[in-house]
Every structure is written in C-alpha cells, then in structure tokens.
Amino acid sequence: MKMRLLLSLLPSLMLLGGCDLLTAKKPPGDIPIRFVDLQKTDDCMYEVELANQRWNVDYLAFYLSEPQVRIEGRWQAVSFVPSKWQSRKLALMQFHDACNSNETNTVIKLDANKKLLDRASAISFTIGLPFSDNHSLSDNSPPPLNNAAMFQSLRAGHSFMRIELQQANEPQALWSFMLASGECHADNEDQAPRRCDKPNRVTLELPLRFNVEDLRLHAKLSQMLFRADMSAGTECNLATPEGSECRKVLSNLTGRDWIRWDAPHQVYLKQN
C-alpha cells in the first residue's frame, strides 16, 4: 500500500522538485573543465585538428596549485577537496582517456561554499608545483605527486603539463610538450636542485561575474598549440636546454585565450 502511494505521488514530486530528485546538484566548488575541440574516436581516444592535420591525444594532463579567490580586491587562499587526484594544495587534471572515467580527472573540486563564491570577483590557479613539492618522487608520495608519468628527474622535477600527440594517419609521427622548470642547478641529475632560474609556472586568473551558480570551464588544445612547431619526432621539454624551441607553447599558455568560462568572460593569464 505504501509503495503504491509513493509511486502515485512520484510524478507530482518530480514536478515540484525537478530533476534534483534523480540527479544530485554538484557542489558549488566543483568546476568541470572540457576541451571543446577534442573529438572522441571509436577506440576510446581523442582526436584534435591542428594546422589541418588530425592528431590522436595519447596524453594530456597538468598540475594545478595555489587555488585562490579574490574578495574585495584581496586574494584569499582556498583548498582543494582531497581525493586520489587532489591534496589540499595540489590537483592533477587528466583528460586523455575517452572511456575510462577512473583514468581521468576533469573536475576541479574546491573546498568553497556558495556564500564564499558569491563574494568572489575572480578565481586563480597556478599550472605548476611549488619548488618544495616539485623535486621529489617516492612510493610514499601522497596523491597527486605519486604519478610517475609526470615525473622527469630529481633535478628537473615534475612536468607541470604533459601533452603527447600522434598523427592520426601516420602512427610513427609523434610530438610531445612538457612544461617544467628550466635551468635547475644541481651537482648532478640525481640530486634535487638548489634553485631553478626559469620556474615556468603559469597563473590562470579567471574573473567571476554572474557565473557562480554553475561554474564550468571550456578549454581548447588548438589554442594552446597555436602555430607551435610540431615537426614529427620533436620533443619540447622546457626542463632541457633544447626546450627553447617550444617556448611558443609557453607564450600561448600565457597570452592566448585557451581557457574560459562557458559563459564567456575575459580571461587573464600570467607567468611567473
């Protein structure tokens, strides 16, 4: 009897409550990122068109740190929600698996409530890791620093961003980009450096206006790689002296509008 009564009331309850009865509303601090120029293929990969060529995305990931909100003209630090992808101060965003959600992290999760975000006029993140976290990797490293694919060496530290591409019609034609600190001074490759003269960290400053109810970010890989030299077989690694050849990608990250709210607002990018 009770079950029949519940079923008879369900349509009315759905009209009153909308879809919230069936799908939980995402927390205000959850910010999905979607690369709008990636197209899913039949083999669970993504493709992107760059300079009239199709490329498969083998790897696409980057670290975020230093989350902040600007309130009344002053920056205030906030934290990420800890998970296997995030610590309180670091997050690893990963996008290249088109089918397995366990291998992707496409949602920034901030420990921030609606009341705080309503007062904020901007959110900022740093693509990169603080010096104190950058130059170590061990089996005991907490997430997200335990991802060996993002680690280069003790001296170079981690890749802050890693992009691996393969030409769709020529599988042997590969291209890669690694954003990392450069000119790191250490006695040898197996030692952590004393300093890095080129930190190569990129700050994203995203102004907030009337988009606090449902924060979503759109990104474009094609804008990140605009007019970059993508000769087949080239590896662009800013941790190495040869990395000067791929500074065009770094200038795109700091100067082009490659990430924005899906309700478009002006985006400011800064490098330190």
Side-chain angles (χ1 to χ4, degrees), residues 26-34 64 67-69 78 80 86 93 95 105-112 117 122-125 206 208 211-212 214-218 259-262:
K26 75 179 183 69
D30 283 14
I31 307 176
I33 304 177
R34 184 168 72 92
L64 294 178
Q68 300 180 89
V69 293
V78 293
F80 296 111
Q86 299 188 164
M93 313 305 300
F95 302 89
N105 183 42
T106 62
V107 181
I108 304 169
K109 294 182 177 290
L110 291 179
D111 187 6
L117 293 174
I123 296 178
S124 76
F125 305 95
L206 302 160
L208 284 175
N211 197 32
V212 295
D214 190 14
L215 295 175
R216 297 177 184 276
L217 286 167
H218 284 180
I259 189 166
R260 59 164 59 234
W261 302 116
D262 65 351

Side-chain angles (χ1 to χ4, degrees), residues 217-238:
L217 286 167
H218 284 180
K220 288 186 177 181
L221 185 58
S222 55
Q223 289 296 304
M224 295 164 67
L225 305 182
F226 181 73
R227 292 185 177 174
D229 180 8
M230 297 183 62
S231 304
T234 302
E235 178 184 277
C236 281
N237 185 354
L238 286 169

